[in-house]
Amino acid sequence: MTAAVRPVRLWLQAAVAGLTLVLAAVVWAPPAWLALEQEQLFDRLLATLPVPADPGLRVVDIGAVDEAGAPWTRASTARLVQKLAEARPAIIGFDILFSGDCEAGATEVLAGAVQASPVVLGFLVSSISTLPPYPNPASELSAPDMWQAAGAEAACPALLRASVAAASMSLLGDSDARIRRVPALVQVAGRAYPTLALRLVQLARPDLAPPPLDRFGQVRFLPSPPAVWGQRTVAAADLLSGTADLAAMRGGIVLVGSSLPSRGGLRATQASPVHPSVQIHADLVQGLLAARLPLRPAQAALWEAGFVGLAGGTVLVLLRLLTAVPMLGVMLGVAGLWSALCLALLLRGAVLIDPAIPAIAALFVALLALIGQAAASARAEAALRARMAQVLPAAVVARIAATPGLLRLKGESRVITALFTDIEGFSLTTHQMPPEALVALLDRYFTLITAIALRHGAMIDKIVGDGLLALFNAPLDQPGHVDAALACAAEMLAATERLRLEPDLGGPLGRTRIGIECGPAILGDVGSGLRIDYTAHGDAINLASRLQGVNKTLGTAICVGPGAAALAHSPLRPLGTVEVRSFGPLQLYTLP
């Protein structure tokens, strides 16, 4: 290791270690924006998992009218409960808050129907409590930081007394307003109450083990797409009219709610921006029954930060053992292995470990190492990089890169084929079109013909005004360069003729005239200081320029000089002997 490189290596090792610590800390405790990105990534991953289905779950959707077409009332709900009772479900849960009008006769009728059926009523957390002190129905579950509220807004006392239990309907969105988790436990006035879905499952299936909760007493659910809603949902009016099948509800769980926007139960989830809350509770019920709820382990952030630290340590070791490309390959493999492991855990058990952010952090560390390794040799490459930035043709750049000692291309003599193009009547076009339209037209034109020239192996030497100079067999050898130039000219002419006929061209475009000649030329760098141009000089280039103008006299579009004709294998049609300014009489040709 040279004395110039050693300080760079020491700086690089310190930078890798420092970046590793910073990224590990960010992954351990991500800022709000990164945490939201992580949640949205989990949303996309969970969308690939199948939604667990249970034939014993049904959702009853209350619409705006009853079976007779009259507005839905509390009396309609009483008839609905009585109809549901005929099916003998295991439990009925209401995602509806029956508060207000507690003295009305319809409330007493509904209370009688509720008392005759196994009904769980929902409440919403509030600052003022109307919830009577129900016994704690969730004593087997606990969470240190569960959602605490001073009180709750509950159903009418008569309805609560008639129900078998009260449960929370409250849903809490993330910073982007999406519902991803449901508070499984809510503490109201010192008592813990389960969420509606959990309470229904506890009563219908007491044999099931309670779900694992996070420290906030929440469970994550797998949101179902709207197509699933229709499969498990029946309209309340159809039940009352007798057109719906009650047999499917026997012994199962029935959730009653409404998808009407006017009832305020629409929330945003990954599956839909208007996810009815009753369907959210249904999704959670299905996950609880199937024992398949997405789980983010409490140690997940620690594992993710630990991986970043391990990846940083691996980079420090690889810096001493491998060069840039092998090291990058190893780190890509390490990152890919982490992502594959996380995805496997997701598919097997819906376990949420971030497959992307820790892997990206590891690759950032590797990228810093690669940049540092490049910096170790940057002084030696600086002159070459500066030279390459000044040379535009790709073949020239490749030649200099292949021979770093050649920092200036000396002049060389070689036989080249020059192809000149020009647009007929372009001066008149410039007076007929506004500048913006003219520039747009030229952009389309040159995009077309330069692509054709490059496809035939030419080097684009110059674009001046409406003309283009392309060189074949320069700066590298190109067998059959004359025939390549002829084929290029034929394709250019055909393509530009089609372009002229396009209705949305934007303005008049004259015919393209092309001159081609072959002969010896001097190629090399011309210029000094900050501007260097790699170009060619020779009679063949000057004659090609003259020949594109001769087309105007001869009425042709492609004019080929005698030098190119002598080396061409493609068929040519003689044009006779023509006087060419500065070159005298010459035998000229064109394509047949």
Side-chain angles (χ1 to χ4, degrees):
M1 184 183 297
T2 65
V5 173
R6 187 175 293 109
V8 177
R9 292 288 190 188
L10 294 175
W11 169 87
L12 177 58
Q13 292 171 1
V16 167
L19 181 61
T20 299
L21 292 175
V22 170
L23 292 178
V26 170
V27 171
W28 165 258
W33 66 269
L34 186 59
L36 182 58
E37 289 290 334
Q38 187 180 63
E39 291 292 349
Q40 292 172 349
L41 170 63
F42 289 152
D43 288 344
R44 291 188 288 271
L45 292 175
L46 290 174
T48 65
L49 299 181
V51 177
D54 191 285
L57 170 66
R58 286 295 181 267
V59 175
V60 177
D61 191 355
I62 294 178
V65 296
D66 61 15
E67 74 280 14
W72 190 274
T73 63
R74 193 164 289 183
S76 306
T77 304
R79 295 197 306 277
L80 176 63
V81 173
Q82 292 167 351
K83 177 64 72 171
L84 290 173
E86 297 176 10
R88 297 183 181 177
I91 195 71
I92 302 170
F94 272 89
D95 181 41
I96 297 174
L97 182 62
F98 295 104
S99 60
D101 295 330
C102 291
E103 303 303 325
T107 300
E108 296 178 0
V109 174
L110 178 57
V114 168
Q115 190 167 18
S117 306
V119 173
V120 175
L121 296 180
F123 65 82
L124 297 174
V125 295
S126 172
S127 58
I128 302 175
S129 180
T130 60
L131 185 66
Y134 267 89
N136 185 352
S139 57
E140 71 276 16
L141 295 176
S142 63
D145 297 317
M146 73 177 71
W147 190 0
Q148 299 189 25
E153 183 180 0
C156 297
L159 295 176
L160 281 176
R161 288 192 297 269
S163 66
V164 298
S168 170
M169 299 185 300
S170 299
L171 301 174
L172 187 63
D174 288 346
S175 59
D176 59 351
R178 279 188 179 181
I179 306 294
R180 296 181 174 90
R181 285 164 290 270
V182 176
L185 291 178
V186 175
Q187 191 174 76
V188 178
R191 293 181 178 271
Y193 290 87
T195 189
L196 178 62
L198 178 57
R199 190 63 179 124
L200 294 175
V201 172
Q202 286 176 330
L203 293 171
R205 295 288 304 276
D207 56 307
L208 291 180
L213 309 181
D214 64 16
R215 59 190 298 263
F216 300 103
Q218 301 179 114
V219 287
R220 188 158 190 152
F221 71 101
L222 191 61
S224 59
V228 173
W229 307 345
Q231 297 171 7
R232 65 191 180 197
T233 302
V234 61
D238 291 342
L239 279 173
L240 292 179
S241 64
T243 59
D245 182 19
L246 288 174
M249 302 181 184
R250 186 177 300 276
I253 296 176
V254 177
L255 264 165
V256 184
S258 177
S259 60
L260 291 177
S262 59
R263 298 191 185 272
L266 302 184
R267 307 298 296 272
T269 67
Q270 181 275 331
S272 172
V274 285
H275 203 134
S277 60
V278 67
Q279 298 291 350
I280 293 177
H281 290 296
D283 290 337
L284 182 54
V285 167
Q286 291 197 157
L288 290 167
L289 291 174
R292 186 173 174 82
L293 292 172
L295 175 65
R296 172 115 170 121
Q299 303 84 3
L302 178 62
W303 296 341
E304 292 159 359
F307 169 75
V308 175
L310 179 62
T314 303
V315 169
L316 288 173
V317 173
L318 294 179
L319 276 173
R320 295 179 175 271
L321 301 177
L322 300 177
T323 57
V325 174
M327 183 179 70
L328 178 60
V330 171
M331 293 309 299
L332 284 172
V334 170
L337 184 62
W338 168 264
S339 298
L341 177 61
C342 294
L343 293 176
L345 290 172
L346 174 76
L347 294 174
R348 287 180 62 87
V351 178
L352 296 176
I353 307 295
D354 193 333
I357 294 177
I360 292 172
L363 292 178
F364 260 103
V365 176
L367 179 62
L368 175 64
L370 292 177
I371 293 173
Q373 284 194 336
S377 57
R379 186 172 300 177
E381 298 176 359
L384 177 60
R385 289 182 180 274
R387 178 66 189 89
M388 290 176 68
Q390 294 176 322
V391 180
L392 296 178
V396 178
V397 172
R399 181 173 179 177
I400 296 175
T403 314
L406 185 62
L407 296 179
R408 178 180 176 87
L409 291 176
K410 304 297 182 181
E412 61 173 333
S413 177
R414 64 190 298 127
V415 175
I416 58 97
T417 299
L419 182 149
F420 252 102
T421 72
D422 188 67
I423 300 176
E424 187 176 64
F426 188 73
S427 296
L428 180 61
T429 300
T430 60
H431 295 294
Q432 295 177 342
M433 297 180 64
E436 296 82 359
L438 182 64
V439 170
L441 177 61
L442 284 176
D443 281 346
R444 292 187 62 183
Y445 176 80
F446 282 121
T447 298
L448 177 65
I449 66 172
T450 55
I452 295 173
L454 292 173
R455 190 160 56 246
H456 286 274
M459 182 185 80
I460 307 300
D461 186 72
K462 289 182 179 66
I463 294 177
V464 179
D466 61 321
L468 175 142
L469 170 60
L471 303 179
F472 295 80
N473 203 44
L476 305 178
D477 293 337
Q478 182 184 5
H481 53 91
V482 172
D483 292 310
L486 294 173
C488 177
E491 186 176 349
M492 279 185 175
L493 182 60
T496 53
E497 286 300 301
R498 290 193 298 269
L499 179 65
R500 294 175 61 198
L501 299 177
E502 292 187 8
D504 60 342
L505 190 59
L509 180 66
R511 184 177 60 165
T512 297
R513 299 188 300 222
I514 302 172
I516 299 173
E517 180 57 322
C518 178
I522 304 298
L523 287 86
D525 285 344
V526 175
S528 62
L530 298 177
R531 184 67 178 97
I532 299 176
D533 187 24
Y534 181 83
T535 188
H537 301 274
D539 287 344
I541 297 169
N542 295 330
L543 180 55
S545 176
R546 293 277 191 268
L547 293 180
Q548 65 84 13
V550 170
N551 283 301
K552 181 178 181 180
T553 303
L554 300 177
T556 55
I558 300 173
C559 190
V560 182
L567 297 177
H569 296 90
S570 304
L572 295 173
R573 176 168 62 87
L575 295 173
T577 302
V578 179
E579 182 74 24
V580 180
R581 183 165 59 90
S582 302
F583 289 90
L586 297 174
Q587 177 65 42
L588 303 182
Y589 302 83
T590 190
L591 295 180

